[in-house]
Amino acid sequence: MRKPRYHLILLLFILFSSPRIGQNKAYAQGINSNKSGNTTTFDVGVILDNSTWIGNISWGCMSMALEDFYNSRSNFNKRISLHLRDVNKDDPVSSAFAAVDLLKNVQVQAIIGPQTSQQAKFIIELGNNSQVPIISFTAKSPSLSSMQSPCFIRTGINDTSQAKVLASLVQHFRWKQVVPIYADTDFGNGIIPHLIDAFAEVDARVPYRSPIPISASDADIGRELEKLKEMQTRVFIVHMEYSLGFKLFSNAKKAGMMDKGYVWITTYGLTDIVDLMGPSATNVMQGVLGIKPYITENNKKLQDFKARWRKRFELENPFADQVTDPSTVFGLWAYDTVWALAKAAENVSATNYTFSMNNVRNNTTDLESIGQSQIGSELTQKISNIKFYGITGKFHLVDRQLETNNFEIVNVVGNKRLRIGFWTQAYGVSRRLNSTVDVKVHRWPGGSPDAPKGWEWPTNGQTLRIGVPVKPGFQELVNVSHSPVTNLLGLNHHIRNNSPPTGYCIDVFNLVMGSLPYNVAYNYTPFADPKDSNQTNGTYDDLVYQVFLKNFDAVVGDITVIANRSRYVDFTLPYTVSGVCMVVPVKDEHRKNAWTFAEPLSTDLWIASGVFFIFTGIVVWILEHRVNKEFRGPPANQIGTIFYFIFSTLVFSHREKIVSNLSRVVLIVWVFVVLILQQSYTASLSSMLTVQQLQPTITDLSELARSASKVGYLNDSFMPGLLKGLNFDESRLIAFNSRDEYDEALSNGTVAAIVDEIPYIKVFLSDPKHCGKYTMVGPTYKTDGFGFAFPIGSPMVADVWRAILNISESGEMDNIKYVHVNEDCFVQKDGSYSSRITFKSFWGLFLITGVTSILAFLIHIAMFLHQHWDIVIGSDSGLSRGQKLVLLKKIYDKPDLSSDAFKENEEQKMGVVEMQMQSPMSISQLGNEDVFGHEDDDIGTPFEDEGTPGREIGGQTPDPPSFADMLNQRRGYDSS
C-alpha cells in the first residue's frame, strides 16, 4: 500500500510525461563561476519566489555570500554553483516540480528552500528519499520537524521559539485575553497550539481565533474585523506574511481599530514589513509592537555587508522604491546559510557527486528514478556540526535548527521602528539586554502614551446584562420591586424590571462600578419566573449558570462564592463576612430555687474554702494557745472557739483578742482572702438572681446531625448539598423563604435549628421581634462570602477585584449598611455560659494564705523548741525520746506565764490585793475567791495541792498560808 504522500505522484507523472520545460533565464538561472584546475563544482539548488521581498532579498544575499566566502580565501577545493528555480510561493505543485527537476536533471547535492512551509512538506519527503539535505531559513512552521525528517535542516528559527516571547510580553502588560489573527495556511496554523499553551502559562486566554485566507479580499477582511470589534478583547497577535499583513492593517485603520485602546503585536515574520515597504506600511501601523530575533549591531562584518548590499540592490533594481533597511532577518539568515553550506562542502571527503541508481526501475517518470546522493548523509552531518560567527552572530545548530535565545521588541513610531526592549531567557521582557528594567512604549495605537488595558466594551452599543436574584424574604440584601415587566431577548426566564433593584448587594455593586477608571453601562435583569414575578426562576446555581450560558454578562446579589460555582464563572473578591452558622432558640440556664445561693461558687471552690477555713483556724489556735487566755479551757470550748473565731472573719465580727504577732500576720492575709472571696460571691449571686442566663438549646452541628430533629434552611440556596455532606438525611431538611417563617418554625418546634449564612442570620436576629429569642452558634462551615460572578476569563474581574479592595481599605464600604446591628442579638456563644466562680480563679490567693500560715506555724514551733532546748538535748535526764515528747507536750499545754498577756493579768490582781490590805477588812474576810478569783480559773489555786480533794490534812485544818507564800506561789516560786 502506497503512503499518503504519493497523492501528488500522479500529478507529477502527468507533468513528466510532457516535454521537459526548458531552462529559461528566470527558471534556471545559476551562479557558475569559473573553476580552476583543482576546483570541483558543487551544485546546489535554490527554490525561491523572486517576485516577493523575501525571495528577492534572500537571493541577493546568497549571491553576496558566495562572493565573500571565496574572496576571503585563496585555496578551496570545491566551489558552490547555485541553480535558482523561481516559483510562486503559493504554488506547492510548481515548487515540487522544480525540486524534482533539480534532483533528477541537475543532481544537486543540496536544496536551499523552498520559501514557505506549505511548499516544504513534499520537498522534504523528496530529500529524505534522495538523501539530499533540504535547507530552509523561511519555512518556520513547527509542523516541519527536523527530528522526524533526517535530511531537513532549518537555518532559521522555529516559530515555537517566539510563542514564549509573545506570552511574556502579554504578561508584562497584564493583559488577560488575546486574539491571534493569522494566515490560514500551514505557516499560520502551525504556531497556534503553541501560542495557546504559552498564554495559558501566564494566565491569559484565547477567547477567539481569527484565520484569514490568503485569497481574502478587503471586504472579507473588513467583515472579520467588524466581528472582532464586537468583542471585548483588544489585544491582537498578527502572524502572517507581508502582503496579507499589509492588507490587514490597511483595513484595520479604515475600521477604526488602530485607535486608542487597541494593541497590535506582530510576529517576526511580519516585523520587517516597515523596512521593506517604508512609509506605506508605517502609515497604517502607528503604535504597533513587533518582535524579531536580536542581531548584535556591534558587528563590523554586518555593517560592511549592509553598505555593500544597498549599493548592489540599487544597481540591480533601479526602479524599485527606496527601502530603509533592506537587510531583513531572512536575508541575513540566507547569507549565513550559504556561508555554512560552503564551509561544509569544503569538509566533505567524498568526491563522487553523482547519484546512485541502484534498484532504479526503467520508468523515467517514476520518482524513484532520481536515485540517491552519494554524499548527502555526510553533508547533512557536516552542516549540523558547523559553528562560526556570521553576520547574524553565532551560527550554531541544535537538533539541526538555528538556536537563538534573544529577541528584540520594536515599536512603529513615525516613519521608522524603534527598539524599545529585549526578551531574554534570564530576564524576560526588559528595556535592557542584561538587566530587568520596565519597557517603555513610545507610542500606542491612537497616540496614547499609556498602555491599554487590553479590553473594551463592545462597540455595538450593547450594555451589560446583570442578573439579579428574586428574594422576597431578605430584602435588605436584594430587593426587586415588581413593576410591569417586558420580555428581553426572547428569553422567557429573563425579565427586565422597570424599577432598578435595591439592597446592600446592589449598593455595593453600584459603588464598585462607579469607582472604575472607565464608564460601564449596565441594566439589571431579575431572574424571575415569567408566570409569577414574585418567584425566582430557579436556584442560585441556576442563576450562576446563566452567565456560563451567556444569557447574563454578570450576576449581582447575595451569591456565595463556592467551589462548585467557580467551575462555570469567575468570582470577584468577596465583599461580606464568610461562614455558615446555626440559629437556635435560647433558654434560661439558671432556675431560681432554694439552693441558688450555692451556685456562685463551684464545688471545688466550696471544698477548698472550707478546708482553708479550718486550716487557718487551727493555725491561729496553735499560735494563741499558750499566750492567750481566750484560747484555753476545756477541749470542747477550744474547738468551738476555733470554728467560731475563724468563721466570724467572714463578717469581720470575731470578738477574741489576738495576742501573738504571728497570729496577726496570718489573720491579716486571711481576712484579705475572705474579702475577695466574699465580694466575688456577692457579685456572682447578684448576676444569677437578676440577669437572665440565656443558653442555646444546641451548640454543636454534629450533635444535631446525630439527633432526629429537623433542620431549616433558606430556599434555593446551596445548604441542602452542604447538610447532606454533613450526614443530614434529606427528609429532615425543610426549606423556608423568609425570616418570619424562620421565627414560626423555631417557635413551634418544627425545626430545632436554622442553618444559614451569617448575613442572613444578622438580618434575622436584628429584627426586634426576634432579638432575645434566638442566638447564633458557629461558624459551623467556612465559605468565602458574597461575590459578583462574571464569565470565566472576563478581563473585568481584575478591575472589579481591585475596586473592591480600594473601597474596602478607604472605608467607603463601611458606609453601606443593610441592617442595624445589635450585637446582643446575634453575638455567637463560645460554649462558656456559666457565671460560677471556680477554684482556678482563686488558687493564687489560697496559696498565699497557706504559705503564710505554714511559715508562721514553723516559726512558732522553732521558738518553742529553742525556749526548751535543754529538754530536747538533755542527755543526763534519763528520759527516752518518747518521754521527752510527752514532757514537751505537757509543757506546751501549760500557759506561758512569761507572756505579756499573763503578766498584765497578774499585775491587775496584785493591785487588788494591795487595795485590800489597806482596807479595814482582813484577808480572811475576803476569802480566796475574793483575792485570787474563782477557783475554776485555769491558773489554779496557789496553795491547793494537786490531787488533794479537800483542804484538811490528817483531819486538821492547816493554818492559812501567809501572804508572802501566796504571792511567791502565785508568781511561780516553790513555797518549800
Side-chain angles (χ1 to χ4, degrees):
M1 182 176 180
R2 292 183 180 271
K3 296 182 180 179
R5 65 173 180 267
Y6 287 105
H7 68 283
L8 289 176
I9 294 178
L10 180 60
L11 177 61
L12 293 175
F13 174 80
I14 297 174
L15 293 174
F16 275 104
S17 298
S18 61
R20 190 164 59 89
I21 300 176
Q23 294 182 341
N24 56 33
K25 180 178 180 180
Y27 189 82
Q29 181 181 358
I31 299 179
N32 298 305
S33 302
N34 294 329
K35 298 181 290 183
S36 63
N38 298 326
T39 302
T40 304
T41 300
F42 195 91
D43 295 312
V44 174
V46 179
I47 302 176
L48 291 174
D49 185 354
N50 260 350
S51 63
T52 64
W53 283 105
I54 292 180
N56 198 323
I57 292 174
S58 298
W59 175 246
C61 291
M62 287 189 284
S63 301
M64 294 180 64
L66 282 183
E67 295 176 4
D68 294 344
F69 180 82
Y70 293 117
N71 290 336
S72 64
R73 59 195 68 198
S74 58
N75 57 337
F76 46 87
N77 298 323
K78 305 175 185 66
R79 190 179 187 96
I80 288 181
S81 177
L82 297 179
H83 301 267
L84 174 63
R85 296 297 183 265
D86 184 6
V87 298
N88 189 330
K89 65 181 181 62
D90 299 324
D91 187 358
V93 176
S94 296
S95 62
F97 184 30
V100 172
D101 176 60
L102 289 171
L103 292 173
K104 185 174 182 180
N105 299 319
V106 184
Q107 292 193 345
V108 295
Q109 304 305 313
I111 294 178
I112 300 177
Q115 192 165 317
T116 65
S117 300
Q118 185 177 8
Q119 293 173 318
K121 281 188 175 181
F122 185 74
I123 296 178
I124 291 175
E125 293 293 337
L126 292 177
N128 292 336
N129 291 335
S130 61
Q131 296 296 304
V132 173
I134 308 299
I135 309 170
S136 177
F137 51 88
T138 55
K140 311 185 306 302
S141 175
S143 62
L144 304 177
S145 173
S146 58
M147 300 299 296
Q148 298 176 359
S149 302
C151 291
F152 176 56
I153 299 174
R154 197 192 323 254
T155 54
I157 300 177
N158 192 327
D159 275 341
T160 57
S161 61
Q162 62 180 338
K164 185 178 292 186
V165 182
L166 295 169
S168 297
L169 195 60
V170 169
Q171 183 184 35
H172 179 80
F173 290 103
R174 300 178 181 176
W175 297 317
K176 293 300 181 182
Q177 289 189 355
V178 182
V179 171
I181 306 176
Y182 55 96
D184 192 10
T185 61
D186 289 342
F187 160 72
N189 290 293
I191 194 176
I192 297 303
H194 303 278
L195 275 180
I196 295 176
D197 292 341
F199 290 145
E201 292 181 0
V202 297
D203 196 25
R205 295 178 60 249
V206 178
Y208 179 75
R209 290 178 286 181
S210 177
I212 305 293
I214 294 180
S215 59
S217 63
D218 289 338
D220 296 332
I221 296 176
R223 283 190 293 269
E224 183 66 19
L225 292 176
E226 288 298 326
K227 185 187 301 183
L228 295 176
K229 287 177 64 176
E230 295 180 358
M231 300 179 183
Q232 290 184 0
T233 307
R234 290 295 181 264
V235 181
F236 304 109
I237 305 294
V238 183
H239 180 67
M240 54 185 59
E241 297 174 346
Y242 300 125
S243 57
L244 185 59
F246 178 76
K247 186 183 294 186
L248 173 70
F249 282 110
S250 298
N251 284 275
K253 185 175 182 179
K254 293 178 183 178
M257 297 180 68
M258 299 303 298
D259 295 337
K260 183 178 178 180
Y262 286 88
V263 178
W264 295 87
I265 305 174
T266 61
T267 61
Y268 69 77
L270 187 58
T271 301
D272 288 334
I273 188 175
V274 174
D275 296 327
L276 298 175
M277 303 186 68
S280 58
T282 58
N283 288 338
V284 296
M285 296 180 63
Q286 289 296 302
V288 173
L289 300 181
I291 64 171
K292 60 180 298 186
Y294 173 64
I295 298 174
T296 305
E297 293 181 347
N298 298 328
N299 187 335
K300 294 182 179 180
K301 188 176 181 180
L302 175 60
Q303 299 301 327
D304 176 69
F305 168 77
K306 287 184 176 181
R308 291 187 295 110
W309 193 95
R310 288 191 183 96
K311 293 180 180 180
R312 180 165 181 167
F313 182 83
E314 293 173 359
L315 290 174
E316 294 181 357
N317 303 274
F319 300 105
D321 294 335
Q322 180 63 35
V323 181
T324 57
D325 189 0
S327 54
T328 67
V329 66
F330 295 105
L332 301 182
W333 283 339
Y335 184 96
D336 284 347
T337 297
V338 172
W339 192 284
L341 181 58
K343 290 176 67 69
E346 287 295 315
N347 297 327
V348 172
S349 59
T351 58
N352 183 7
Y353 298 157
T354 61
F355 281 28
S356 172
M357 305 304 291
N358 296 334
N359 300 324
V360 175
R361 288 176 284 183
N362 294 328
N363 188 358
T364 58
T365 62
D366 199 299
L367 293 178
E368 294 179 358
S369 63
I370 295 176
Q372 292 185 342
S373 172
Q374 300 294 306
I375 65 170
S377 298
E378 183 182 3
L379 180 60
T380 302
Q381 187 66 28
K382 296 295 182 181
I383 298 175
S384 300
N385 296 333
I386 202 163
K387 297 179 182 179
F388 66 96
Y389 281 91
I391 60 176
T392 59
K394 183 180 179 180
F395 185 92
H396 174 55
L397 300 179
V398 178
D399 295 331
R400 298 195 302 280
Q401 292 189 127
L402 186 64
E403 183 182 54
T404 298
N405 295 323
N406 300 333
F407 285 79
E408 62 178 303
I409 304 169
V410 298
N411 183 203
V412 179
V413 180
N415 291 325
K416 57 184 177 180
R417 56 180 174 86
L418 302 177
R419 178 191 296 154
I420 61 173
F422 301 89
W423 181 90
T424 61
Q425 290 281 1
Y427 300 102
V429 175
S430 175
R431 191 185 305 177
R432 298 177 182 174
L433 189 61
N434 297 319
S435 64
T436 303
V437 182
D438 286 342
V439 171
K440 182 179 180 180
V441 178
H442 296 287
R443 177 188 176 95
W444 294 97
S448 174
D450 300 324
K453 62 179 180 290
W455 65 278
E456 295 286 348
W457 295 118
T459 58
N460 56 8
Q462 292 183 352
T463 58
L464 284 183
R465 296 162 297 172
I466 307 297
V468 180
V470 176
K471 200 172 197 64
F474 291 86
Q475 297 180 353
E476 291 83 354
L477 299 174
V478 178
N479 181 21
V480 177
S481 57
H482 305 290
S483 58
V485 296
T486 57
N487 198 349
L488 175 66
L489 300 179
L491 300 175
N492 292 331
H493 56 278
H494 289 142
I495 301 177
R496 176 177 294 171
N497 199 291
N498 294 333
S499 299
T502 59
Y504 175 75
C505 300
I506 303 299
D507 293 340
V508 171
F509 183 74
N510 291 336
L511 179 61
V512 169
M513 300 304 288
S515 65
L516 295 177
Y518 45 85
N519 294 326
V520 179
Y522 55 91
N523 286 329
Y524 292 110
T525 305
F527 188 60
D529 191 325
K531 298 180 180 179
D532 185 359
S533 61
N534 293 318
Q535 300 297 326
T536 182
N537 197 45
T539 65
Y540 274 49
D541 291 339
D542 298 331
L543 174 58
V544 170
Y545 194 66
Q546 298 303 311
V547 178
F548 180 78
L549 297 176
K550 298 183 180 181
N551 293 327
F552 287 138
D553 296 313
V555 167
V556 173
D558 46 346
I559 310 297
T560 304
V561 180
I562 56 177
N564 183 54
R565 293 172 181 171
S566 65
R567 297 168 53 191
Y568 305 100
V569 296
D570 279 347
F571 283 102
T572 63
L573 182 73
Y575 56 91
T576 63
V577 293
S578 60
V580 174
C581 295
M582 288 193 302
V583 177
V584 297
V586 295
K587 62 180 180 179
D588 192 354
E589 181 72 11
H590 295 293
R591 298 179 180 177
K592 284 67 176 180
N593 52 37
W595 300 100
T596 303
F597 73 89
E599 294 185 10
L601 303 185
S602 61
T603 303
D604 56 351
L605 184 55
W606 277 117
I607 296 174
S609 300
V611 170
F612 272 88
F613 266 99
I614 298 173
F615 171 73
T616 305
I618 293 174
V619 171
V620 172
W621 177 84
I622 292 174
L623 299 177
E624 294 290 325
H625 179 65
R626 297 191 70 239
V627 298
N628 194 337
K629 175 184 176 182
E630 295 184 359
F631 286 85
R632 298 189 63 82
N637 290 343
Q638 295 183 46
I639 293 173
T641 299
I642 292 174
F643 282 95
Y644 175 79
F645 171 78
I646 198 64
F647 281 99
S648 64
T649 58
L650 281 172
V651 291
F652 312 106
S653 62
H654 47 281
R655 64 179 180 81
E656 291 79 4
K657 182 179 180 181
I658 299 300
V659 175
S660 172
N661 287 331
L662 293 175
S663 299
R664 290 171 181 150
V665 173
V666 171
L667 192 60
I668 289 173
V669 176
W670 173 248
V671 169
F672 176 73
V673 174
V674 169
L675 176 64
I676 296 178
L677 188 63
Q678 182 190 55
Q679 296 297 324
S680 302
Y681 173 84
T682 303
S684 179
L685 182 60
S686 299
S687 175
M688 290 182 177
L689 295 177
T690 58
V691 179
Q692 194 177 23
Q693 303 293 316
L694 299 179
Q695 305 297 324
T697 55
I698 299 173
T699 60
D700 189 3
L701 188 63
S702 59
E703 174 188 348
L704 181 62
R706 292 190 296 268
S707 68
S709 302
K710 296 185 180 298
V711 179
Y713 65 92
L714 185 61
N715 196 16
D716 298 326
S717 68
F718 66 95
M719 291 302 158
L722 171 63
L723 294 173
K724 291 176 185 177
L726 297 174
N727 298 323
F728 280 86
D729 189 82
E730 187 174 2
S731 61
R732 295 172 53 195
L733 307 181
I734 302 178
F736 300 103
N737 294 314
S738 67
R739 51 191 172 186
D740 291 335
E741 293 183 6
Y742 280 4
D743 178 47
E744 181 181 358
L746 290 171
S747 299
N748 58 28
T750 302
V751 295
I754 297 291
V755 179
D756 211 335
E757 295 177 83
I758 292 178
Y760 302 117
I761 294 177
K762 285 186 176 182
V763 173
F764 175 68
L765 294 182
S766 296
D767 192 327
K769 297 184 299 183
H770 308 146
C771 183
K773 297 170 58 178
Y774 313 103
T775 188
M776 180 173 68
V777 180
T780 59
Y781 184 77
K782 180 69 175 177
T783 62
D784 288 333
F786 295 163
F788 305 129
F790 287 86
I792 292 179
S794 172
M796 192 173 182
V797 174
D799 292 339
V800 175
W801 186 295
R802 282 188 289 269
I804 294 175
L805 285 177
N806 291 334
I807 65 176
S808 297
E809 294 176 358
S810 65
E812 295 182 71
M813 187 81 77
D814 299 333
N815 298 328
I816 305 177
K817 303 292 184 182
Y818 64 92
V819 67
H820 176 69
V821 177
N822 185 348
E823 297 290 341
D824 294 334
C825 292
F826 71 88
V827 64
Q828 64 183 23
K829 306 297 182 180
D830 59 1
S832 178
Y833 308 108
S834 177
S835 60
R836 304 181 71 186
I837 305 173
T838 62
F839 176 75
K840 184 183 296 184
S841 303
F842 283 87
W843 72 269
L845 289 174
F846 285 125
L847 177 64
I848 294 174
T849 186
V851 171
T852 302
S853 299
I854 292 174
L855 288 177
F857 171 75
L858 295 177
I859 294 173
H860 175 74
I861 295 299
M863 294 173 61
F864 173 75
L865 294 178
H866 181 267
Q867 184 180 0
H868 301 87
W869 193 247
D870 54 341
I871 298 176
V872 175
I873 64 173
S875 58
D876 55 350
S877 61
L879 299 177
S880 64
R881 182 177 301 176
Q883 291 172 333
K884 290 179 180 182
L885 292 176
V886 173
L887 180 59
L888 289 174
K889 176 181 176 300
K890 289 183 178 182
I891 295 174
Y892 186 83
D893 193 50
K894 293 294 183 181
D896 185 2
L897 299 179
S898 62
S899 67
D900 293 339
F902 284 114
K903 287 181 180 181
E904 182 181 355
N905 188 25
E906 186 65 32
E907 290 173 355
Q908 291 175 355
K909 291 185 177 182
M910 287 297 300
V912 173
V913 172
E914 292 176 355
M915 291 173 60
Q916 294 293 339
M917 291 179 64
Q918 295 174 3
S919 68
M921 187 178 294
S922 66
I923 193 75
S924 60
Q925 292 175 321
L926 293 174
N928 291 339
E929 294 179 4
D930 295 328
V931 176
F932 300 107
H934 298 285
E935 289 184 346
D936 59 353
D937 194 325
D938 60 350
I939 300 177
T941 306
F943 52 82
E944 185 177 60
D945 192 331
E946 188 172 292
T948 303
R951 299 188 179 197
E952 297 183 357
I953 301 176
Q956 298 180 356
T957 302
D959 296 333
S962 65
F963 179 77
D965 292 337
M966 291 187 296
L967 184 59
N968 290 335
Q969 188 173 358
R970 189 70 172 177
R971 291 178 176 177
Y973 300 125
D974 188 355
S975 60
S976 61

